[in-house]
Amino acid sequence: MKESMKIVREFYNQSVEVEWNRIDGRPEFLLTCRMLDRYIKSGDKVLDIGGGPGRYTFYLAEKGCDVTLFDLSEENINYAKNRSADLDLPIETVCGDAREVDKHINEQYDHVLLMGPLYHLLEESDRVMTVNAALKLLKPGGMLFAVFISMNGGLVFMLREAPEQFAEPHEERFLVPLVEGKNFGGTAFTEAFFINQHNVLPFMEQFNLKKLHLFGQEGILAPNEENFMQQTPEVKEALLSISEKLYEKPEYLSWAEHLVYVGRKL
């Protein structure tokens, strides 16, 4: 295992509860579930690669899906196993590296979620390997949901959470490629890869997929997420509704921190 993956694994081993709670009730989770619900139905067989402690795994299991959680972090897998037992909600769990998921699992799935690994793999060859490994486990006609952190997402986060970072000289390593329209791979919250939004589709076009959607995972709500969390249920619903109407429009992709590619295997 590469040193960068050891760093990522340890990061998630140390932040299981934080990761479980991170998206609870937030636009990232709520809007993504709306997209999942368009295609995933009760009884479908789903593989959640890099699903952390299993937010989407359990959402889909509660919906009646047959779900397998595959993750790099042993502690994430242990958390999911314990939660599965506590809820009496069966899920399968496998611990391993997403680049080699096809060596750990040999079943075929109706849908594959790849909502994590692609933004921790610094080398393009590793990202290609991971998508190809996922596609080997996806049935023809099945759906792949692949998530990227965008360069704009890094900018949104810094403006919202840490504006003082713009004055720190070492942040030039991120700000220079941001200005130049390039990608960034290196140390951030852990070892992470940020992609220029215009590079997502060219990257995904090399695979045997028909593109159905590219949307901003938080819609237009990432810059004001905490304000969203303080609203009444009625206002939250209105904000989620307008976000869902806008989140595929190219001019609003830059408002989100994460971009989701949805494709059907040919």
Side-chain angles (χ1 to χ4, degrees):
M1 181 181 294
K2 291 183 179 180
E3 187 62 31
S4 62
M5 284 297 95
K6 292 180 181 178
I7 293 170
V8 171
R9 182 179 61 185
E10 187 56 27
F11 172 82
Y12 284 110
N13 277 340
Q14 298 295 324
S15 56
V16 179
E17 289 280 354
V18 171
E19 189 63 19
W20 174 259
N21 292 316
R22 182 181 64 82
I23 58 175
D24 185 26
R26 293 182 178 270
E28 176 183 338
F29 180 72
L30 299 173
L31 288 169
T32 302
C33 287
R34 292 187 180 204
M35 181 61 77
L36 297 179
D37 288 344
R38 295 190 196 183
Y39 296 100
I40 302 178
K41 62 184 184 299
S42 179
D44 284 353
K45 194 174 178 65
V46 184
L47 175 60
D48 186 3
I49 303 175
R55 267 288 174 190
Y56 294 104
T57 294
F58 284 100
Y59 174 79
L60 293 171
E62 288 168 356
K63 187 174 176 170
C65 298
D66 177 359
V67 191
T68 297
L69 173 65
F70 183 93
D71 197 76
L72 181 68
S73 161
E74 302 93 340
E75 293 305 319
N76 277 338
I77 292 297
N78 289 337
Y79 182 94
K81 285 180 179 179
N82 291 335
R83 190 171 188 85
S84 173
D86 291 343
L87 296 175
D88 193 24
L89 188 65
I91 64 167
E92 295 295 324
T93 57
V94 182
C95 188
D97 189 319
R99 293 170 296 182
E100 300 180 340
V101 62
D102 57 320
K103 296 180 181 178
H104 294 268
I105 298 173
N106 57 15
E107 299 183 57
Q108 291 283 290
Y109 294 84
D110 300 301
H111 312 279
V112 172
L113 312 186
L114 198 57
M115 296 186 175
L118 296 180
Y119 49 81
H120 292 301
L121 295 167
L122 307 187
E123 301 296 329
E124 178 155 349
S125 59
D126 285 334
R127 297 190 291 275
V128 171
M129 183 188 304
T130 299
V131 175
N132 281 326
L135 289 176
K136 288 179 183 177
L137 306 178
L138 183 62
K139 296 177 182 178
M143 305 294 295
L144 177 73
F145 300 81
V147 180
F148 300 82
I149 299 180
S150 73
M151 292 293 288
N152 290 326
L155 177 62
V156 167
F157 178 85
M158 288 171 67
L159 288 169
R160 189 186 66 224
E161 305 286 345
E164 69 280 359
Q165 290 185 1
F166 285 91
E168 296 180 5
H170 74 272
E171 289 299 340
E172 287 293 306
R173 63 199 171 87
F174 174 79
L175 296 175
V176 168
L178 175 72
V179 171
E180 293 178 348
K182 298 178 180 179
N183 304 330
F184 168 80
T187 302
F189 59 99
T190 183
E191 296 300 282
F193 171 72
F194 296 73
I195 192 168
N196 180 285
Q197 70 180 60
H198 300 295
N199 293 336
V200 173
L201 292 182
F203 174 76
M204 295 304 299
E205 283 170 358
Q206 67 188 289
F207 303 106
N208 191 33
L209 291 161
K210 178 183 178 181
K211 178 245 180 184
L212 300 181
H213 307 279
L214 178 66
F215 71 96
Q217 201 168 19
E218 299 86 1
I220 58 172
L221 299 174
N224 295 290
E225 187 174 79
E226 292 309 318
N227 191 21
F228 168 86
M229 296 300 294
Q230 296 170 16
Q231 302 306 311
T232 64
E234 293 77 12
V235 173
K236 285 182 178 179
E237 176 57 34
L239 290 168
L240 291 170
S241 179
I242 189 63
S243 290
E244 191 174 10
K245 292 172 182 175
L246 296 175
Y247 69 177
E248 289 189 69
K249 294 183 179 293
E251 61 265 37
Y252 294 110
L253 291 177
S254 61
W255 291 51
E257 293 183 64
H258 303 80
L259 301 177
V260 187
Y261 173 95
V262 184
R264 189 183 302 278
K265 184 176 177 180
L266 299 174

